[in-house]
Amino acid sequence: MSAVESTCPYCGVGCGVSVDVSDDATQVSVKGDKTHPANAGRLCVKGSALADTLGLQSRLLKPRVDGLQASWDHALSAVSKRLSDTVARYGSESVAFYVSGQLLTEDYYVANKLLKGFIGTANIDTNSRLCMSTAVAAHKRVLGSDTVPGCYEDLELADLLIITGSNMAWTHPVVYQRIVAAKQARPHMKIVVIDPRKTATSELADLHLQLAPGSDIWLFDGLLAWLLDSTAIDARYLNDHTENYSELVKQCRQRDNDISSIAQRCQVDEDELRTFYQWFVRTARTVTVFSQGINQSAHGVDQASLILYCHLVTGRVGKPGASPFSITGQPNAMGGREVGGLANQLAAHMDIDNPAHHALVSEFWQTQKLATTPGLKAVDMFRAVADGKIRFIWIMATNPVVSMPEAELVRNALAGCDHVVVSDCIADTDTTRMADILLPAAAWGEKSGTVTNSERCISRQRGFLPLPGSSRPDWWIISQVAKHLGFEHAFDYQCAADIFREHAALSTYKNGGTRDFDIGALMQLDNAQYDALPPVQWPLTPASTVSSGLAGKARMFADGRFYTPSGRARFLSVAPGSLPQTTDAEFPLWLNTGRIRDQWHTMTRTGLSGKLQKHISEPFVELHPMDLQLRGLHAGDLALISSRHGQCVMRVRDQAGQSPGSVFMPIHWNDTVASNARVDKLVSAICDPISGQPAFKQTPVTVSRLSVKWQAVLVSSRRLTLPSASYWSTRNLDGLYFTTLAGEKNIDAGLLKKLWAEVATSWAEIEDSHQDSLRLIGRNNAGLQIWFALQTTTVPEVDEDWLSASWQQENISMRDLVLGCDAGNQSEAKGTLVCTCMQVYEKTIQQAIASGCTDTAKIGRKTRAGTNCGSCIPELNRLLVSTAAAPAVQCDTSSKIEESLC
Ligand SMILES: Nc1nc2c(c(=O)[nH]1)N[C@H]1C(S)=C(S)[C@@H](COP(=O)(O)OP(=O)(O)OC[C@H]3O[C@@H](n4cnc5c(=O)[nH]c(N)nc54)[C@H](O)[C@@H]3O)O[C@H]1N2
Ligand SMILES: Nc1nc2c(c(=O)[nH]1)N[C@H]1C(S)=C(S)[C@@H](COP(=O)(O)OP(=O)(O)OC[C@H]3O[C@@H](n4cnc5c(=O)[nH]c(N)nc54)[C@H](O)[C@@H]3O)O[C@H]1N2
Ligand code: SF4
Ligand SMILES: [Mo]
């Protein structure tokens, strides 16, 4: 056994992990790294399940060119030839890279260097455009640099913690757990959650402002106006460290931000709003955490700026427990910003339109071709692909056919593009399916480099598995293409450490304190020191010493010096206004989209873990009970959701935590795992005018019932051709595919047996005389292959664990299988899976509560639920409330947020 310290590849919390690997690399176990400053040994459920995702069954292991397996030599020549031919014919602006906050810093650095520095176009943009570009733009406008001023400890030290547009209990669970612990230790700490719906996060709140979609801009403008009249204004700070304050006051006073107008616009209770404003006034130690509810908005930059203004006018920036805090989504969103991965940035936090920066980077890279103007931002980039202006696109570590707004246009754009190259570690995704050339990237556990988390902490990801097949690290693939293009001298890297040293050297080159991002202390690391590098927080100027822990600067701007030309923070004008779209008779509901606890984005990795697939099993749309009633819908129905751009089909969930008039859908399902659940087909590509970030949280839609004649569950050893169905969605639970289907057209046992004749040779079936239920079981010599249950009412209940266990039993009879699993009773007896780590189901927890467990700790002692990562603790709390409130009533398990529904 050997032990390796690495970093979790999911969210921007950036938890350290300790990996134990057997000598033959077949056994891997992952636990939290107790020495890492982000998590001190904790992991959430996704991090805890990392070892389940390391199998090779879905991997892309060989390059493919035009549908055929190819050698690296052939694939690299094909990429470079097609790229250089395109440049020769249509110019460098006809070429684009679309990259990702899931690349390591070293990969990102070379991709940016190749396109901007040597091909000579800035048409490289990243999925961080969809994620953090609003925060980047706001930081740069107001603070003069893209710097997150605070650190995680500030969230624990705050006396007032405001969490807006973030469901961190599910999306940044380890930071959330740190907050839970801090609140337990200091019960006077107040938490305000601002979100249009009730979430696992809002349960911790002393005050939840369930505002109208997209109305934060008014809420924070109202707060600013309130602060201007209050004692909280820090006149000295304003005088010494900011500019344009009198103009800010003038403009703010011209707007109608009287508290009752604001309450009306935001549709929140005026007294609650006043309470929030008063708490802000009187609490010096205030932190505002913001995420996608703020960033993914058509006026995101203005509302993020207003958050920064509220902190600046009170002098609460970069102080212990007092700061704005933009929390990053992806594991290396920050690293991407450091290397200049966005189309409007240069490397090392420099600006593409700043002549001095341009000269500096050109000199450092020794190139005459450095792009001089910003490139296309993601949405415009794919539009240019659709228009034929971009004819060669290389997509790395992102799945835009699923994650871009107006996703069908993106898919069609790629289908019509001359050359589409995709680097991914997974073979079959909605985007790899569109590629002419597929390049197999090394995955987490195989590759090595650095990532930077939300609090500017640089951590090492270390490889502990051999590279499978022909897969290679992304930096290697990009550098090889660069060499084929004739840029050997600039891309002659032998290892990730070579790139890191260059990146560190550029950050400090002619810096002299003029730029925030300086990690000059790390440019001298030799390979062994790079390998041993502990987590370190930037900045780390050449004079800094590198030691373990947060050795850099925990907080920025404590001295009130900013990176604007004047050294002062800037108040630029903002324009609170209405949303660019409105709901109407045709599309009367607001579609809000986001994440669920146990899945990561397009599921290419978390979808490989059976454990993680059990929490929420199907794509869903959540509606308020009133909206359900209005449409004659019930929980468990299938619904057709339509917008101006497309349609989806999802399972309906009854959710009193929704605001009436709004619906919520998760972003994870896609064409690989479901018939029609790629949410971004519905979402408008309307962007913030400054950042170019799409407003993913507000699209007008309509929802109606999809009528079907039957619903079915198919369990099979491999993926099967499905009968004609109006809906299907599939999951792999540790080797078995569980597919839920529903349809309009009648199907019968004969038809199915014909369809699956190649898979099963002997059959058992029970079809009732009214044809309203069917059970069909198929076997071959190798054992059980197919288990199928259909009924005309609701989805047949299946006890997944029982069936998985039965699958392995050689002597189980067909009859037992048919009849045994007819008993969905077992699964009904268990309810849904609440604690993924310990595999504890809802009913076990309810029984524990009924037997006297009055808090989560007691439930944990009795059932083990919530004792590993803690991600399910909000759900345990809900069960505590609902079970205590209504012990005799059966709980509607599809709707666990609102106990009043039970
Ligand atoms: N489990 C899990 N965790 C993840 C990810 C994942 O895929 N799965 N992805 C990671 C990534 S890349 C990111 S960017 C982060 C995102 O992390 P979050 O931003 O926390 O996640 P979201 O679910 O997109 O949206 C957050 C909340 O914004 C709310 N919201 C919607 N509209 C508004 C509004 O107008 N105002 C306000 N105030 N709130 C609004 C939504 O209801 C939602 O609860 O998560 C990271 N962590
Ligand atoms: N409607 C709606 N849409 C959204 C959002 C939303 O809230 N609502 N959120 C947006 C946000 S914030 C984000 S960040 C995006 C995320 O969206 P995407 O970036 O498209 O989602 P992922 O599934 O993370 O895609 C990563 C891809 O890279 C592959 N991969 C993993 N590791 C590596 C590697 O080391 N190298 C290479 N080459 N490939 C690798 C994975 O297999 C996967 O195919 O979605 C955005 N889209
Ligand atoms: S909170 Fe969870 S997903 Fe995020 S880095 Fe930590 S273990 Fe990974
Ligand atoms: Mo993101």
Side-chain angles (χ1 to χ4, degrees):
M1 278 298 222
S2 57
V4 179
E5 251 90 69
S6 187
T7 314
C8 173
Y10 298 123
C11 83
V13 175
C15 296
V17 295
S18 297
V19 186
D20 285 327
V21 195
S22 64
D23 295 336
D24 62 357
T26 55
Q27 306 289 320
V28 175
S29 69
V30 177
K31 55 183 190 303
D33 175 356
K34 292 202 167 68
T35 64
H36 198 286
N39 58 317
R42 297 180 187 91
L43 286 183
C44 79
V45 61
K46 295 185 297 303
S48 305
L50 270 167
D52 298 355
T53 64
L54 300 173
L56 299 182
Q57 63 278 16
S58 315
R59 288 291 296 276
L60 175 66
L61 293 172
K62 300 269 181 224
R64 297 185 73 82
V65 176
D66 300 328
L68 299 174
Q69 197 167 301
S71 65
W72 267 115
D73 202 34
H74 177 50
L76 294 167
S77 307
V79 175
S80 50
K81 174 145 192 349
R82 292 177 197 190
L83 194 156
S84 48
D85 285 355
T86 309
V87 172
R89 212 158 148 207
Y90 303 105
S92 58
E93 298 302 318
S94 63
V95 168
F97 289 1
Y98 182 60
V99 302
S100 160
Q102 290 168 74
L103 289 172
L104 302 180
T105 299
E106 294 75 3
D107 305 325
Y108 230 138
Y109 178 88
V110 266
N112 189 55
K113 180 177 177 184
L114 173 59
L115 202 71
K116 287 196 186 125
F118 290 81
I119 295 172
T121 166
N123 279 342
I124 172 168
D125 210 36
T126 138
N127 63 358
S128 282
R129 179 71 59 196
L130 318 177
C131 181
M132 301 314 302
S133 61
T134 286
V136 173
H139 287 150
K140 292 189 72 163
R141 267 164 44 118
V142 180
L143 311 174
S145 58
D146 176 22
T147 322
V148 175
C151 58
Y152 297 150
E153 191 191 34
D154 292 328
L155 280 56
E156 298 166 320
L157 293 177
D159 294 323
L160 173 62
L161 179 65
I162 300 154
I163 303 174
T164 180
S166 154
N167 182 14
M168 60 188 334
W170 281 12
T171 55
H172 297 94
V174 166
V175 165
Y176 176 79
Q177 291 304 327
R178 287 178 62 168
I179 296 169
V180 172
K183 190 162 163 61
Q184 264 161 10
R186 297 189 306 119
H188 74 272
M189 172 185 189
K190 293 243 177 326
I191 298 186
V192 177
V193 169
I194 305 172
D195 194 308
R197 60 185 188 123
K198 284 189 185 157
T199 61
T201 309
S202 67
E203 271 171 41
L204 191 64
D206 298 284
L207 177 63
H208 175 200
L209 295 170
Q210 206 168 345
L211 79 182
S215 65
D216 302 74
I217 194 160
W218 287 110
L219 193 103
F220 283 98
D221 196 48
L223 174 61
L224 181 64
W226 185 274
L227 291 172
L228 296 182
D229 290 331
S230 78
T231 51
I233 291 292
D234 187 337
R236 197 157 154 197
Y237 188 89
L238 285 166
N239 186 54
D240 293 351
H241 303 303
T242 68
E243 66 188 28
N244 223 16
Y245 177 63
S246 50
E247 190 57 27
L248 176 83
V249 176
K250 198 170 113 199
Q251 291 188 4
C252 189
R253 299 253 190 259
Q254 279 165 2
R255 295 191 286 266
D256 175 16
N257 39 34
D258 157 78
I259 188 156
S260 54
S261 328
I262 297 286
Q264 213 174 10
R265 269 200 202 104
C266 300
Q267 289 167 30
V268 294
D269 180 85
E270 190 178 322
D271 289 339
E272 290 189 350
L273 188 63
R274 186 174 293 106
T275 303
F276 167 51
Y277 287 178
Q278 284 168 343
W279 284 354
F280 199 108
V281 167
R282 74 165 104 96
T283 317
R285 286 193 167 208
T286 295
V287 168
T288 307
V289 177
F290 61 101
S291 185
Q292 300 312 332
I294 294 293
N295 291 350
Q296 292 174 338
S297 160
H299 43 225
V301 175
D302 276 357
Q303 56 195 13
S305 301
L306 279 163
I307 293 173
L308 300 180
Y309 294 169
C310 291
H311 278 267
L312 281 167
V313 297
T314 50
R316 297 172 191 164
V317 178
K319 297 182 178 160
S323 217
F325 194 92
S326 149
I327 193 158
T328 55
Q330 296 178 92
N332 203 26
M334 277 288 202
R337 287 145 76 172
E338 291 153 15
V339 302
L342 291 161
N344 48 333
Q345 290 184 341
L346 268 190
H349 277 201
M350 285 183 268
D351 295 320
I352 210 160
D353 39 17
N354 176 325
H357 289 171
H358 192 273
L360 190 156
V361 176
S362 299
E363 182 179 288
F364 186 85
W365 281 346
Q366 307 228 322
T367 179
Q368 267 89 55
K369 287 183 101 178
L370 187 66
T372 48
T373 48
L376 294 171
K377 298 182 178 127
V379 167
D380 291 335
M381 178 182 282
F382 283 97
R383 284 187 181 142
V385 175
D387 295 345
K389 292 192 187 105
I390 287 176
R391 290 172 173 265
F392 175 106
I393 185 162
W394 186 355
I395 298 165
M396 305 176 204
T398 175
N399 194 353
V401 171
V402 186
S403 55
M404 284 287 295
E406 295 180 25
E408 205 53 6
L409 289 185
V410 170
R411 207 182 72 88
N412 293 339
L414 292 179
C417 183
D418 292 352
H419 309 293
V420 178
V421 181
V422 178
S423 304
D424 205 295
C425 35
I426 300 296
D428 184 34
T429 75
D430 292 0
T431 300
T432 58
R433 240 170 275 142
M434 310 310 295
D436 303 300
I437 302 182
L438 272 174
L439 304 174
W444 183 80
E446 298 151 12
K447 55 194 291 181
S448 185
T450 53
V451 289
T452 309
N453 75 3
S454 296
E455 59 170 358
R456 290 177 278 107
C457 179
I458 300 171
S459 292
R460 285 294 321 272
Q461 267 194 24
R462 296 184 175 89
F464 50 86
L465 294 171
L467 290 176
S470 306
S471 64
R472 292 286 181 277
D474 289 284
W475 68 262
W476 181 91
I477 304 174
I478 304 157
S479 306
Q480 290 297 317
V481 168
K483 288 181 186 173
H484 275 72
L485 289 167
F487 309 126
E488 293 88 347
H489 58 289
F491 292 87
D492 195 19
Y493 306 114
Q494 304 306 312
C495 58
D498 285 346
I499 303 166
F500 186 79
R501 281 186 286 267
E502 184 179 312
H503 164 59
L506 174 57
S507 76
T508 201
Y509 188 63
K510 298 189 176 174
N511 187 329
T514 56
R515 308 191 303 268
D516 63 334
F517 180 65
D518 186 339
I519 53 167
L522 305 177
M523 70 183 176
Q524 306 289 4
L525 297 180
D526 61 26
N527 288 358
Q529 288 167 325
Y530 174 77
D531 276 343
L533 184 69
V536 285
Q537 199 174 24
W538 66 257
L540 279 165
T541 58
S544 327
T545 40
V546 180
S547 61
S548 188
L550 297 183
K553 220 182 200 177
R555 296 176 184 89
M556 301 287 280
F557 311 124
D559 58 0
R561 198 181 77 81
F562 295 89
Y563 289 91
T564 53
S566 64
R568 290 162 175 270
R570 283 186 293 226
F571 295 116
L572 300 176
S573 66
V574 293
S578 46
L579 291 174
Q581 298 195 91
T582 49
T583 53
D584 55 23
E586 195 182 355
F587 298 107
L589 297 163
W590 283 114
L591 169 63
N592 173 11
T593 56
R595 289 148 176 87
I596 63 170
R597 194 188 74 189
D598 290 5
Q599 291 299 336
W600 177 260
H601 295 164
T602 71
M603 291 179 163
T604 63
R605 288 175 295 158
T606 42
L608 302 175
S609 162
K611 249 195 229 164
L612 297 179
Q613 290 276 26
K614 285 190 178 171
H615 179 229
I616 296 181
S617 55
E618 283 183 272
F620 63 85
V621 54
E622 280 178 339
L623 292 96
H624 188 273
M626 261 163 49
D627 283 320
L628 288 178
Q629 210 179 6
L630 263 173
R631 291 163 181 78
L633 282 163
H634 298 97
D637 284 349
L638 287 168
L640 186 69
I641 306 100
S642 315
S643 77
R644 286 191 178 84
H645 312 287
Q647 290 190 328
C648 282
V649 176
M650 310 248 174
R651 187 75 62 190
V652 171
R653 285 166 57 129
D654 178 344
Q655 184 51 269
Q658 279 297 327
S659 302
S662 272
V663 306
F664 178 81
M665 282 162 56
I667 60 173
H668 309 286
W669 279 268
N670 52 72
D671 293 354
T672 313
V673 293
S675 53
N676 194 4
R678 190 155 46 97
V679 157
D680 275 316
K681 285 199 299 186
L682 305 177
V683 175
S684 305
I686 292 179
C687 298
D688 178 278
I690 300 166
S691 67
Q693 179 154 351
F696 283 114
K697 300 288 189 247
Q698 289 107 25
T699 302
V701 293
T702 182
V703 179
S704 59
R705 187 156 180 277
L706 183 83
S707 70
V708 288
K709 286 206 176 120
W710 52 266
Q711 309 235 33
V713 174
L714 166 67
V715 186
S716 53
S717 304
R718 56 178 155 113
R719 279 189 79 167
L720 301 178
T721 309
L722 299 178
S724 161
S726 317
Y727 163 86
W728 60 263
S729 123
T730 195
R731 306 173 282 156
N732 187 325
L733 299 183
D734 302 321
L736 283 185
Y737 290 91
F738 282 76
T739 307
T740 312
L741 309 88
E744 257 281 90
K745 276 198 203 147
N746 284 335
I747 54 174
D748 58 28
L751 182 143
L752 295 174
K753 285 198 260 182
K754 213 152 112 194
L755 189 66
W756 298 325
E758 277 182 23
V759 183
T761 44
S762 65
W763 298 94
E765 66 189 76
I766 303 179
E767 196 158 6
D768 84 353
S769 50
H770 304 291
Q771 292 200 317
D772 56 12
S773 89
L774 165 69
R775 296 285 183 276
L776 181 68
I777 286 163
R779 306 180 93 118
N780 65 14
N781 293 341
L784 187 58
Q785 300 298 320
I786 294 170
W787 184 94
F788 180 82
L790 171 150
Q791 56 198 37
T792 49
T793 49
T794 50
V795 186
E797 297 262 12
V798 178
D799 185 329
E800 289 155 359
D801 295 338
W802 182 85
L803 197 57
S804 298
S806 307
W807 216 268
Q808 311 306 330
Q809 287 172 25
E810 280 186 10
N811 48 6
I812 188 157
S813 71
M814 295 280 221
R815 192 172 173 281
D816 279 354
L817 275 168
V818 173
L819 296 177
C821 222
D822 201 19
N825 311 335
Q826 279 123 324
S827 98
E828 209 180 306
K830 286 183 181 172
T832 51
L833 183 68
V834 175
C835 174
T836 303
C837 300
M838 298 300 175
Q839 299 278 297
V840 189
Y841 287 80
E842 189 173 28
K843 288 287 155 59
T844 312
I845 295 161
Q846 285 172 329
Q847 278 157 8
I849 297 169
S851 75
C853 294
T854 47
D855 58 36
T856 54
K858 287 185 183 135
I859 298 176
R861 280 197 292 276
K862 183 142 186 131
T863 68
R864 300 179 74 211
T867 55
N868 185 38
C869 77
S871 302
C872 64
I873 285 180
E875 273 158 277
L876 298 183
N877 278 322
R878 276 200 297 274
L879 287 170
L880 273 166
V881 175
S882 60
T883 312
V889 186
Q890 275 271 302
C891 211
D892 175 357
T893 56
S894 69
S895 162
K896 288 185 279 121
I897 289 197
E898 183 56 49
E899 55 279 5
S900 64
L901 287 178
C902 293

